[in-house]
Amino acid sequence: MLNQDLTCTRYLKLYNDSSRRLHEVLPEAADADGYGRQIATTLLLSLDAAQRTEPAGLARAALQVAAYLDPTGHPYALWNTPAVLAHLTAHRAPARAPDAAEDAPDVTAEEAEAVLRVLHRYALITNDRRQEPRAVRIHALTARAIRETTPVAAPARASPTRPQKPFWACGLTPT
């Protein structure tokens, strides 16, 4: 903001403009410290490592869910809902062979909790049950970078017997 002489209003308008890519919102000239343009690359490297950590193949799908939710936090219980578990199951990356995803069991609540701990260890989210109802948080810049660089792919386990609901149709009621 200082380097570009932007007002808060103008900065927020630019930041929230989802039609502009992150590299446009954070132009090279505005990177006074010399590392801002590598944010997405660093996040993707962490995500790749998290994706290989047990429960393998779930980190990307879980981070994509978090990236579309309120970055200031959402309830931990969301991650145990049938809709989110179905989304994680459908978008789990195959462990080894491409057809292995078809034989993989459904994602359990325990695996959903485990992937949240993995994402927390790799500093991609903050996961703290003591902070309910905002137990799971993601930095807004991380969320935007993830939304721009890891589009939600077609389900790995699409099937006529497994209807896919969007993960946001989880049926949580306000507390």
Side-chain angles (χ1 to χ4, degrees):
M1 286 176 47
L2 291 174
N3 291 343
Q4 298 292 314
D5 195 28
L6 297 174
T7 65
C8 288
T9 302
R10 177 73 178 136
Y11 175 80
L12 286 173
K13 183 178 178 191
L14 290 171
Y15 183 82
N16 290 321
D17 181 359
S18 61
S19 67
R20 297 181 67 188
R21 304 298 290 178
L22 193 57
H23 71 275
E24 294 174 295
V25 178
L26 298 172
E28 195 169 336
D31 187 12
D33 296 327
Y35 59 81
R37 295 190 45 89
Q38 288 79 27
I39 291 171
T41 302
T42 302
L43 291 172
L44 290 173
L45 289 173
S46 292
L47 179 55
D48 287 346
Q51 185 75 348
R52 292 187 303 271
T53 304
E54 287 298 325
L58 289 178
R60 185 174 311 277
L63 195 58
Q64 287 167 336
V65 170
Y68 283 95
L69 298 174
D70 183 355
T72 62
H74 54 274
Y76 196 83
L78 175 76
W79 294 89
N80 293 324
T81 61
V84 171
L85 294 175
H87 176 82
L88 295 176
T89 298
H91 291 86
R92 178 191 303 221
R96 291 172 189 86
D99 59 338
E102 294 176 16
D103 300 330
D106 289 348
V107 173
T108 65
E110 291 78 20
E111 288 175 305
E113 292 175 11
V115 76
L116 290 177
R117 289 191 301 273
V118 167
L119 292 172
H120 180 84
R121 280 197 310 270
Y122 281 93
L124 294 165
I125 65 167
T126 301
N127 177 29
D128 185 353
R129 286 189 194 202
R130 297 170 298 176
Q131 299 297 315
E132 284 291 4
R134 299 193 178 282
V136 181
R137 292 176 283 141
I138 183 170
H139 191 281
L141 187 58
T142 301
R144 182 158 181 178
I146 293 302
R147 288 191 307 267
E148 288 187 7
T149 58
T150 61
V152 178
R157 293 182 60 182
S159 153
T161 60
R162 283 183 193 266
Q164 298 299 315
K165 286 184 179 178
F167 61 81
W168 57 85
C170 61
L172 282 182
T173 56
T175 55

